[in-house]
Amino acid sequence: VSGPGPGRYGLPSTVGFRKHDPTKQMNPAYSFGTKLEPLPRMKAPGSSYFIDSRVTRVGNNGAPVYSIQGKQKDLTFFHVPGPGTYANEKVRPVNEPRAPVYTMGSRTRYRRCEPIPAPDRYSLHSMLGPNIPNKLSYPSYSITAQSKVGHYAYDWAKSPGPGQHDMPSVNIYLQRLPIYSLLARQPPIGKYKKSPGPGAHWPEKVTINYPKAPSYYMGIRHSEFVTPVVVDVKN
């Protein structure tokens, strides 16, 4: 059977405190610190410096010494009113009831034109091409640019003047306004389409809306030589 030899196994270390063998006693470990670089401000003078005889462990020994400092600059926020500027007689007692007092605030300034566009300036994205990430994009094709051969960019005399440009319609970049059209003129009515005038009607002859007396009419007199109708009747 092939397998790792005894030298392949690693026992826990017994030196130091990191990954130390928990079954073995750990002796105290010490480390050496790094040497600090000398700083110019931390350099102390040697034993050859002079010590004044007046300096003791509790301070300087001798008569008190005073010095005059320079005058400080006046600060603007320290300019407070004097005692004579207060009018205490105008202050009402704190516990005395008084009517509510209101003040009028200053008028607000007009705002400048905000750079936010108006609601009618927004438009929907085009459905042609990969313009909307959440919509399916179908194949789109483009037309190549116009060739500059014979273009007015070579000859400035062929460029259009200011009067050749037309002002675009407001329906293109603003809300489209309603459009109305006029119908064509109707052809004149012919003779077969002439309707009767008001004098052609006889309202007094209409008796459908009120009762009337029974009326009879005379039938047609038939000749006695007319052959009677014979109809075969099956038994």
Side-chain angles (χ1 to χ4, degrees):
V1 179
S2 61
R8 292 292 184 179
Y9 297 96
L11 297 176
S13 175
T14 57
V15 179
F17 65 94
R18 294 183 178 179
K19 298 182 180 180
H20 192 275
D21 190 358
T23 61
K24 302 294 182 179
Q25 183 181 1
M26 184 173 60
N27 297 326
Y30 304 94
S31 60
F32 293 93
T34 58
K35 184 179 180 180
L36 299 177
E37 297 180 359
L39 299 178
R41 59 181 180 179
M42 296 181 62
K43 289 183 179 180
S47 58
S48 62
Y49 65 92
F50 173 75
I51 300 177
D52 194 354
S53 59
R54 294 179 300 173
V55 178
T56 62
R57 64 183 182 84
V58 294
N60 293 333
N61 184 16
V65 180
Y66 304 96
S67 61
I68 300 175
Q69 297 181 354
K71 185 179 180 180
Q72 294 182 356
K73 296 181 180 181
D74 294 334
L75 300 178
T76 55
F77 55 86
F78 279 109
H79 288 173
V80 296
T85 57
Y86 296 98
N88 299 330
E89 66 277 1
K90 296 182 180 180
V91 179
R92 300 175 63 90
V94 180
N95 297 329
E96 182 180 350
R98 56 181 299 183
V101 180
Y102 305 95
T103 57
M104 299 294 294
S106 59
R107 186 175 184 180
T108 56
R109 297 181 179 179
Y110 291 104
R111 294 188 304 173
R112 297 181 178 179
C113 277
E114 297 182 354
I116 303 174
D120 57 347
R121 292 291 181 178
Y122 295 96
S123 59
L124 298 177
H125 294 282
S126 176
M127 298 297 294
L128 299 178
N131 296 323
I132 304 179
N134 59 347
K135 299 293 183 182
L136 180 61
S137 175
Y138 293 97
S140 56
Y141 306 94
S142 60
I143 302 176
T144 57
Q146 183 182 3
S147 176
K148 291 185 178 180
V149 178
H151 199 258
Y152 65 87
Y154 292 95
D155 188 3
W156 292 104
K158 297 180 181 180
S159 61
Q164 298 294 329
H165 299 280
D166 296 332
M167 183 176 180
S169 176
V170 295
N171 294 331
I172 298 176
Y173 57 90
L174 294 178
Q175 184 179 3
R176 187 177 182 87
L177 302 177
I179 300 176
Y180 305 96
S181 60
L182 298 177
L183 296 176
R185 187 175 180 180
Q186 297 290 342
I189 301 175
K191 294 182 180 181
Y192 59 92
K193 291 185 179 181
K194 288 184 178 180
S195 58
H201 299 280
W202 297 84
E204 62 276 5
K205 294 183 179 181
V206 178
T207 58
I208 193 174
N209 56 345
Y210 57 87
K212 58 175 292 189
S215 57
Y216 305 96
Y217 63 93
M218 299 297 292
I220 302 174
R221 183 176 181 182
H222 298 279
S223 175
E224 57 184 1
F225 301 104
V226 175
T227 305
V229 179
V230 180
V231 180
D232 293 337
V233 178
K234 296 181 179 181
N235 296 330

